Amino acid sequence: MRFQRPKFIATTRIVLVSMRIGHLDFDDRPLFLAPMEDVSDPPFRILCKRYGADMMYTEFVSSAGLLREQEHEHQKLEIFDEERPIGIQVWGGGIDEVRNATPMVDAAGPDVIDINFGCPVRKIVQKDGGAGVLRNLDKMKRITAAVMEEATRPVTVKTRLGWDDDSIHIVDVARMLEDMGVAALTVHARTREQKYKGDARWEWLRTIKEEGTRDMPFIGNGDALDPEAIEAMFEETGVDGVMLGRGALGNPWIFDRAKKYMETGELPPPPDWEERVQVVAEHLSLKCEWLGERTGVMEMRKNYSSYFKGFRNASTLRHELMQPETKEGVLEVMLNFKPDAPDIQVPAAKLPEETADPDAVDTKKPDVPDDLPSPGGDGASEEVGTKKAELPASMAS
């Protein structure tokens, strides 16, 4: 059944063309991975790139944290050629603070620098960061100018409709940013007051496209949670690209599935249990390579709920996956779990001898269907089914 949003149906179709951000050219209907804290790190970005993400953004980086030499913030600047094109997103509530941090971001070598004017989290907006600046559009303009003055690469912006329903000035904001030379604009179709509640107001995306932007690429965000909704956003609003946030959580396949759906009109089946376990195991291995085994195992725990949502006995599996403190222990649980068993008991099975070493990368994994999507989205993927999980050489060092 085709996806429909009864609250807003476009009466005319906008013709979509390819888009360009600075030196980057994109095909028709590109899909972007949103900057998400504790989600959009290199291991997850590598998986999303494999499954067809056209461009990705890092977790948002604190200007103040960079200036204070906080290790966690500097770690977010790590990007790798295999991920390109990629943008680093920066946030800060102080004009000089953002200005002084921008050269550090620029030196990391992203394809673009993105400014976060959209995060609704209280501790950020209280500092005039993220969506907090929507209460002071003159300050938004000055922060944007400060970043553009220090950057040697294109600057983009991500924001929301406004602070609340009484202060939606997004059309004027879009015009202002384009006049300043911003290379692209992404808008989450909710106000800060809404946060993530209620429906995203796609009618505003169409208004921004028709009345706010001229030549500046415009990317829509909000409630693009599945392939049908992604196509609907393109069709109804005329946006040049769609940015996926919550729809990609535990779901790197969404990029490939959405592209195939838009090309053929047929919805590809979701990944089966074996493929899902394969990718989760690889995600875990990448995490452990990047962060070290103990930290990688702990950090990965927050992802299991999204990956296994909707499967029978998923809550039992999530509970079991929270217990091991080693990669081998987690893999043992996953490889022995039977989702269709009426009363699941996880056996104390051992991994094969050749992979019992917790530091071994080439861990045995379940068989994967021959038609597993390739990085480009077509044909079989030998890389996913037969090769070990590996970070780029520069990341593993």
Side-chain angles (χ1 to χ4, degrees):
M1 181 176 179
R2 303 276 289 195
F3 177 89
Q4 290 188 337
R5 292 171 60 92
K7 70 184 183 68
F8 173 68
I9 301 295
T11 56
T12 59
R13 177 172 178 171
I14 298 176
V15 177
L16 299 168
V17 297
S18 58
M19 61 180 283
R20 183 179 180 87
I21 300 176
H23 63 287
L24 304 172
D25 289 314
F26 297 91
D27 292 334
D28 183 25
R29 295 186 168 185
L31 302 179
F32 298 76
L33 175 66
M36 293 180 282
E37 184 72 357
D38 296 326
V39 176
S40 304
D41 59 8
F44 187 62
R45 297 197 305 257
I46 286 172
L47 295 174
C48 290
K49 183 70 173 181
R50 173 187 303 166
Y51 286 101
D54 293 288
M55 183 169 177
M56 301 178 293
Y57 288 87
T58 65
E59 303 171 80
F60 51 89
V61 182
S62 165
S63 297
L66 291 178
L67 296 175
R68 296 189 189 110
E69 297 295 332
Q70 293 177 354
E71 181 179 356
H72 178 63
E73 297 300 328
H74 280 269
Q75 187 179 48
K76 294 178 186 177
L77 299 180
E78 293 185 27
I79 56 176
F80 305 91
D81 287 340
E82 291 81 356
E83 303 178 81
R84 295 187 186 278
I86 188 166
I88 294 178
Q89 189 185 72
V90 64
W91 76 272
I95 297 169
D96 290 337
E97 169 190 290
V98 178
R99 185 195 310 277
N100 294 333
T102 297
M104 299 182 187
V105 177
D106 196 87
D111 294 287
V112 304
I113 296 176
D114 189 68
I115 309 174
N116 182 334
F117 289 141
C119 179
V121 175
R122 177 177 296 182
K123 67 179 182 180
I124 290 179
V125 301
Q126 285 178 336
K127 300 175 182 178
D128 264 358
V133 80
L134 290 169
R135 297 168 295 186
N136 187 342
L137 298 184
D138 180 66
K139 189 172 186 179
M140 173 190 278
K141 182 176 182 178
R142 287 186 288 157
I143 289 175
T144 304
V147 173
M148 295 180 70
E149 289 167 7
E150 297 295 330
T152 65
R153 56 200 77 241
V155 173
T156 61
V157 165
K158 185 173 189 286
T159 189
R160 287 178 170 248
L161 299 178
W163 178 258
D164 55 26
D165 283 355
D166 295 327
S167 59
I168 297 179
H169 304 296
I170 190 60
V171 171
D172 292 333
V173 167
R175 292 171 180 167
M176 174 188 76
L177 294 173
E178 183 164 11
D179 288 342
M180 294 180 70
V182 167
L185 171 65
T186 301
V187 173
H188 183 115
R190 289 181 174 88
T191 63
R192 189 273 167 180
E193 185 178 58
Q194 283 183 273
K195 296 183 180 178
Y196 297 98
K197 298 176 182 178
D199 289 335
R201 294 144 81 171
W202 287 8
E203 63 271 23
W204 274 105
L205 297 180
R206 186 178 179 92
T207 299
I208 297 164
K209 180 62 179 175
E210 292 180 337
E211 302 177 16
T213 62
R214 298 182 298 275
D215 300 317
M216 177 177 62
F218 177 51
I219 302 161
N221 177 233
D223 288 354
L225 301 176
D226 53 45
E228 300 99 317
I230 291 167
E231 183 184 56
M233 180 178 282
F234 277 116
E235 293 284 345
E236 295 181 16
T237 71
V239 293
D240 301 302
V242 171
M243 181 173 285
L244 310 183
R246 290 176 295 160
L249 295 178
N251 188 20
W253 304 272
I254 192 171
F255 299 95
D256 179 68
R257 295 183 70 230
K259 288 183 176 184
K260 288 180 176 176
Y261 178 71
M262 290 189 288
E263 290 170 3
T264 68
E266 299 292 330
L267 183 63
D272 60 19
W273 177 260
E274 288 75 18
E275 181 180 349
R276 193 171 294 268
V277 168
Q278 159 67 26
V279 170
V280 174
E282 184 172 10
H283 193 170
L284 171 65
S285 294
L286 292 169
K287 281 272 197 183
C288 291
E289 286 185 55
W290 188 50
L291 300 172
E293 182 173 8
R294 179 171 176 77
T295 303
V297 168
M298 297 302 173
E299 287 287 314
M300 189 63 190
R301 288 177 175 177
K302 66 188 70 174
N303 295 284
Y304 298 132
S305 178
S306 298
Y307 269 118
F308 296 114
K309 181 179 180 180
F311 279 88
R312 182 180 180 182
N313 294 313
S315 60
T316 301
L317 176 59
R318 288 195 300 269
H319 174 74
E320 296 291 343
L321 290 172
M322 294 296 179
Q323 311 311 313
E325 296 185 359
T326 65
K327 182 176 76 171
E328 179 183 0
V330 175
L331 293 174
E332 183 176 316
V333 170
M334 282 198 297
L335 296 177
N336 286 284
F337 191 83
K338 306 298 182 185
D340 295 328
D343 183 17
I344 291 175
Q345 298 290 330
V346 179
K350 299 270 186 197
L351 291 175
E353 288 296 324
E354 63 269 25
T355 60
D357 179 2
D359 294 324
V361 178
D362 194 10
T363 304
K364 181 174 176 59
K365 298 161 185 171
D367 292 336
V368 180
D370 291 335
D371 59 349
L372 185 63
S374 68
D378 296 318
S381 173
E382 296 180 358
E383 177 181 355
V384 179
T386 63
K387 291 182 67 177
K388 63 186 179 181
E390 290 184 349
L391 291 170
S394 55
M395 185 188 295
S397 62

